[in-house]
Amino acid sequence: MYLEMFNLKGRTAVVTGGGQGIGFACAQALGEAGAKVVVAELLADRVEKAVAELKALGVDAYGAELDVTDSKAVADLAAKVAADHGGASILVNNAGIAFSDVKAEDTSDEHWAKHFRVNVDGVFYCCREFGKLMLAAGKGSVVNIGSMSGFIVNKPQPQSFYNASKAAVHHLTKSLACEWGARGVRVNSVAPTYIETPLTLFGAQNQEMLKTWLDMTPMGRMGQPHEIASTVLFLASDASSLLTGSIIAADGGYTCW
Ligand code: NDP
């Protein structure tokens, strides 16, 4: 009974920014559990490469070039997924950016806006458009990739724009969970610690910064993409049927100190 709750056969999942890092691991996890997976990613060649890799792993994978900040493109993709696959009952809002280590007083309008465009507007557009499909079907699970930065302020790198954007993702998650909870659509978030992906290279390659990161983490290490993907799989599946509006910290204990 319990293992069956993780079975995603017959479901379609859309993963934004699924071409690398955490998103790719999520696509693999959901695909291994039986879902059809649509990798929606900014760059065409990365889409192609990810889909080929997923197929080689036995995943029923499809690709779509998508910029999540383009609300029309998001609506068009939702319409295409509805036409091609009969809808999507899983959405992983993973696409996000973090051009960190910029002091608040030096943050330009463009830098601030860019982070909110991708990390907040993009998440909302995808929730709205794929949420419509889920509400019409009376079922669905949305998993937003937030961050421990939505709870705490990272040290030593200044990144007010990123922290604020991820706090917004967490509260959007709770707001949509309340609006859609009685209509069969669950909305949850995962709040990761530092995960080894291209996004954290700037710190992982800086010995002093890396030492601070690890010293502040009870488990004393960075995480791996698959450790977030397994949490996403739980939230996407029926194994988490009573969870909505939850922000799960997958953070090696970082937010305990
Ligand atoms: P990566 O940069 O490795 O992957 C993110 C992917 O999203 C990239 O392929 C990126 O493309 C794509 N992307 C960026 N902008 C858009 C857009 N506008 N539309 C569609 N796709 C886009 O990052 P991670 O895998 O590390 O991060 C994934 C998520 O996890 C993000 O939301 C991040 O904030 C969050 N997170 C990551 C942590 C970490 O330590 N790695 C910690 C906490 C949260 P491109 O490279 O071309 O920009």
Side-chain angles (χ1 to χ4, degrees):
M1 170 186 164
Y2 288 100
L3 268 186
E4 192 49 30
M5 289 177 176
F6 288 91
N7 190 340
L8 301 180
K9 274 219 164 56
R11 307 205 192 166
T12 299
V14 174
V15 182
T16 69
Q20 68 176 30
I22 294 170
F24 182 83
C26 292
Q28 183 180 346
L30 300 172
E32 276 188 20
K36 248 186 224 181
V37 180
V38 180
V39 171
E41 167 72 72
L42 203 50
L43 303 173
D45 54 344
R46 201 176 288 162
V47 173
E48 219 172 284
K49 185 166 175 284
V51 168
E53 282 175 25
L54 288 166
K55 282 189 171 155
L57 291 165
V59 173
D60 190 8
Y62 301 79
E65 206 181 318
L66 177 72
D67 178 348
V68 295
T69 69
D70 179 343
S71 67
K72 182 173 181 311
V74 172
D76 289 348
L77 178 63
K80 183 165 169 33
V81 169
D84 293 353
H85 306 294
S89 58
I90 298 167
L91 167 68
V92 182
N93 277 309
N94 163 80
I97 56 171
F99 295 103
S100 299
D101 217 3
V102 180
K103 292 180 182 137
E105 63 271 32
D106 297 332
T107 298
S108 66
D109 293 357
E110 291 70 30
H111 198 78
W112 175 272
K114 188 162 66 174
H115 284 81
F116 272 72
R117 290 289 294 146
V118 180
N119 296 0
V120 184
D121 297 5
V123 171
F124 178 69
Y125 297 154
C126 291
C127 284
R128 182 181 63 197
E129 298 308 325
F130 287 96
K132 284 180 201 167
L133 300 182
M134 293 179 187
L135 291 167
K139 61 175 194 290
S141 176
V142 177
V143 185
N144 296 324
I145 307 298
S147 173
M148 66 175 181
S149 310
F151 293 130
I152 53 90
V153 174
N154 302 65
K155 224 175 134 183
Q157 74 279 19
Q159 49 176 38
S160 57
F161 39 88
Y162 181 78
N163 301 344
S165 74
K166 290 298 183 175
V169 169
H170 293 179
H171 214 57
L172 176 63
T173 298
K174 293 184 186 191
S175 305
L176 298 180
C178 292
E179 283 197 40
W180 295 347
R183 290 189 277 164
V185 180
R186 299 186 296 112
V187 188
N188 292 288
S189 280
V190 181
T193 183
Y194 298 108
I195 307 297
E196 278 186 44
T197 72
L199 184 138
T200 48
L201 268 182
F202 74 96
Q205 290 176 341
N206 173 334
Q207 284 313 310
E208 208 178 317
M209 190 178 291
L210 179 63
K211 184 176 182 320
T212 307
W213 288 3
L214 302 187
D215 284 350
M216 292 186 73
T217 311
M219 286 179 74
R221 66 172 177 87
M222 293 177 72
Q224 296 300 319
H226 71 83
E227 297 180 288
I228 302 307
S230 53
T231 311
V232 168
L233 170 60
F234 167 64
L235 289 174
S237 75
D238 293 345
S240 61
S241 54
L242 194 56
L243 275 72
T244 199
S246 293
I247 319 292
I248 298 188
D251 67 357
Y254 193 106
T255 52
C256 297
W257 275 343

